[in-house]
Amino acid sequence: MATGNYGIVRPSDVSSEDVQIFYNYTSNRQLPPSAMVELDATSLLTELASPTTVNGIQQTLAGIKNLTLPADLFGQIGIYNIVIKPRELLVQIADCGVLSSAPDVKGILLRVDDLPTNLSSDNALVGFRVEYYDFQGKVRNLFRIVTSSGKVEPVNQNLTNTSQKAIRYRYNDAGDLIFCTLTPTSSPVTLPNKLPYIGSPNQIINLTNTYFDPIHIELEVVEHDSQTLSYALYGNQSKSIQDGIYTIYDNNNNIYKQYNLFEIQDDTNNPLFEAREVRTSIDQGKSFNNIFNI
């Protein structure tokens, strides 16, 4: 029998509408960062075009997007933490029940009005992660995965066992509830009477898509980078002998920085220090063309 290696990792082609972006800021690492603020992912994430066309339509590159960070939010010197994660949706469980045609199939019921339109169609929630909240907050390390979802309506059934609920559910495209089956929901072999927890009516849950893994970016904005430092080390410079103005030029020979150079003396005119201070106003007369074309 032939054997081979099969890849299971595929680039994500998630829509920006299914993404949430948060950020916070601190001016230095000794101070605690600010509270997380959510940004509009649809305006910050854009697709990158692929050279491939299918049926005359330009395709996009899967697994990569262009992230634009507004300068008015990310223009201060300091450290920014950016979190890009799958979109979360907080909803309330309407009920927990079974299907009338298959009483052994258990699931949770969600209201159609609580979900976006694109998530209320059949099996639109498949693969979504369900996490639970109680009165103390989010229940840690407890989650389920949706295996099917579809619109249903409640029906009454006459049951001989009075301990069972008379209201069950059947699939109906006009229903106002979504029946979601989860995994795991079956009893373990060693504990046949112990059913896995899937939630309770009126409980708050967190629905999250699993299209990609969360991403954390630490962005540090600094005053100088390797390019600006190279101006001082390797760029063109000039020093005016008469007024002591020291000028540094960038790669295009524009004035980048200017300093006043002077000497500090004592009362008997003995030199004590040679000093340099940043000029608050630029002397355009010391431009590169004026200096080097004399």
Side-chain angles (χ1 to χ4, degrees), residues 69-81:
L69 299 178
D72 58 332
L73 297 179
F74 295 87
Q76 298 185 68
I77 295 175
I79 299 100
Y80 296 86
N81 288 295

Side-chain angles (χ1 to χ4, degrees), residues 142-160:
L142 175 63
F143 67 93
R144 299 288 182 259
I145 302 296
V146 178
T147 56
S148 70
S149 64
K151 291 182 178 180
V152 295
E153 64 176 355
V155 293
N156 285 314
Q157 287 190 339
N158 295 323
L159 303 175
T160 57

Side-chain angles (χ1 to χ4, degrees), residues 261-272:
L261 300 181
F262 53 91
E263 187 178 76
I264 299 176
Q265 300 177 346
D266 61 14
D267 296 337
T268 58
N269 295 327
N270 293 318
L272 298 177

